[in-house]
Amino acid sequence: MKKKLLAAILCVATCACLLMGCGGSSSSDSAEGSSQADASAVTTVTEGVLTMATNAYFPPYEYYDGSEIVGIDAEIAKAVADKLGLELQIQDMEFDSIITAVQTGKVDIGLAGMTVTDERKQSVNFTDTYAEGIQSIIVKEGSDIKSADDLKGKKIGVQLSTTGDIYATDDYGKENVEEYNKGNDAVQALVTGKVDAVIIDNQPAISYVASNEGLVILDTEYVKEEYAGCISKDNEELLEAINGALAELKEDGTIQGILDKYIVSE
Ligand code: ARG
């Protein structure tokens, strides 16, 4: 049974190769021979490896469990890498550096609960989306800020270069926005009274509020958005391969299973 399947895959791969005139590095067979796909079909920064950039302070999308980076994005990336016959390696960096790392070919994909925006689309290609995000507003319990309108003239903490930063700056003015490298630093600034509110994605907001006393999330969806991976505009082939893998992982319920495992409602 398995042999037949393997023979069929080999046949399809050979035919595709003949049709497309594959050549070159014939020595690099798929990583550990474990996967459905042929790693040599895509070009990556390091042969046989899918190098992912993230900012691992964004639970439940990415966070440290001991020394390991886990979460929705890590699991989705692993499933995609398996499909493509690649080994996954994750690099943690500031959120602000991810797009540049992708653009300059230091990593293959940025996967970081990253919102698709028109501005970012000018620098990178986005994969198909895999999750929805909501920008939430966190305040201290008993705060006089009850809605987005009440934020006018208040100090707002955000994570640098995130969409929360962009919207807050647009809507309330740069002088009212304090940028922090990590979402959690913005939340600590709220706890210690340096800012009056934090605008950040809903799922990390839930997690930060659960781990810090005296904070609440306003019952308002400030902005709704979609998350996707970003890939260099110079590697359309990888974009297509990853979209193909994502489509299969959506179809067979893997992505939904990963989301259900981590996503919580308040
Ligand atoms: N969704 C927001 C954005 O794209 C925030 C993402 C922050 N992600 C992270 N891993 N820190 O701007």
Side-chain angles (χ1 to χ4, degrees):
M1 185 63 181
K2 266 203 169 155
K3 272 191 182 154
K4 267 192 184 167
L5 190 65
L6 194 65
I9 291 171
L10 277 177
C11 176
V12 170
T14 315
C15 296
C17 230
L18 284 174
L19 279 174
M20 300 185 322
C22 298
S25 57
S26 55
S27 61
S28 60
D29 282 335
S30 90
E32 291 156 19
S34 62
S35 257
Q36 299 91 320
D38 180 358
S40 60
V42 289
T43 310
T44 52
V45 174
T46 306
E47 198 179 321
V49 175
L50 183 70
T51 309
M52 158 182 158
T54 199
N55 169 252
Y57 299 89
F58 197 70
Y61 283 89
E62 39 267 335
Y63 56 97
Y64 279 95
D65 180 8
S67 60
E68 199 194 349
I69 296 173
V70 298
I72 294 171
D73 288 333
E75 287 206 23
I76 290 180
K78 176 78 173 76
V80 166
D82 282 351
K83 283 245 177 240
L84 301 182
L86 298 168
E87 183 202 323
L88 176 68
Q89 275 177 15
I90 306 182
Q91 284 184 21
D92 187 15
M93 58 185 73
E94 300 299 355
F95 183 74
D96 195 31
S97 307
I98 297 175
I99 289 193
T100 312
V102 168
Q103 256 185 321
T104 54
K106 294 206 171 59
V107 299
D108 298 304
I109 184 168
L111 210 57
M114 189 180 283
T115 306
V116 180
T117 70
D118 287 340
E119 208 193 323
R120 290 173 180 165
K121 274 189 195 162
Q122 295 181 0
S123 314
V124 286
N125 280 334
F126 277 102
T127 66
D128 293 334
T129 61
Y130 61 88
E132 287 199 338
I134 297 166
Q135 291 298 315
S136 291
I137 301 166
I138 312 177
V139 294
K140 274 196 172 171
E141 256 165 23
S143 162
D144 56 351
I145 302 169
K146 308 277 183 229
S147 73
D149 286 342
D150 298 337
L151 286 175
K152 288 194 189 97
K154 302 279 187 191
K155 276 268 171 271
I156 304 166
V158 295
Q159 183 180 14
L160 178 67
S161 291
T162 59
T163 47
D165 186 7
I166 297 161
Y167 303 139
T169 306
D170 283 354
D171 291 351
Y172 304 100
K174 199 165 182 42
E175 67 283 9
N176 292 315
V177 178
E178 293 292 328
E179 296 166 317
Y180 297 88
N181 271 331
K182 297 186 176 68
N184 192 41
D185 294 344
V187 172
Q188 291 319 310
L190 176 63
V191 171
T192 55
K194 291 200 188 84
V195 297
D196 303 306
V198 167
I199 296 182
I200 197 159
D201 305 52
N202 183 252
Q203 283 298 318
I206 291 173
S207 150
Y208 292 138
V209 165
S211 52
N212 289 281
E213 291 266 300
L215 302 182
V216 285
I217 300 174
L218 292 189
D219 192 17
T220 153
E221 295 180 352
Y222 178 47
V223 182
K224 277 199 172 181
E225 30 187 46
E226 303 245 42
Y227 294 162
C230 64
I231 295 179
S232 162
K233 288 198 187 256
D234 295 334
N235 201 346
E236 299 249 350
E237 172 200 65
L238 181 64
L239 178 73
E240 268 160 42
I242 289 184
N243 277 342
L246 280 175
E248 285 176 28
L249 293 166
K250 281 182 191 168
E251 176 75 27
D252 71 8
T254 306
I255 303 263
Q256 196 54 53
I258 295 171
L259 292 171
D260 290 347
K261 176 173 160 193
Y262 288 96
I263 298 276
V264 289
S265 51
E266 270 176 78

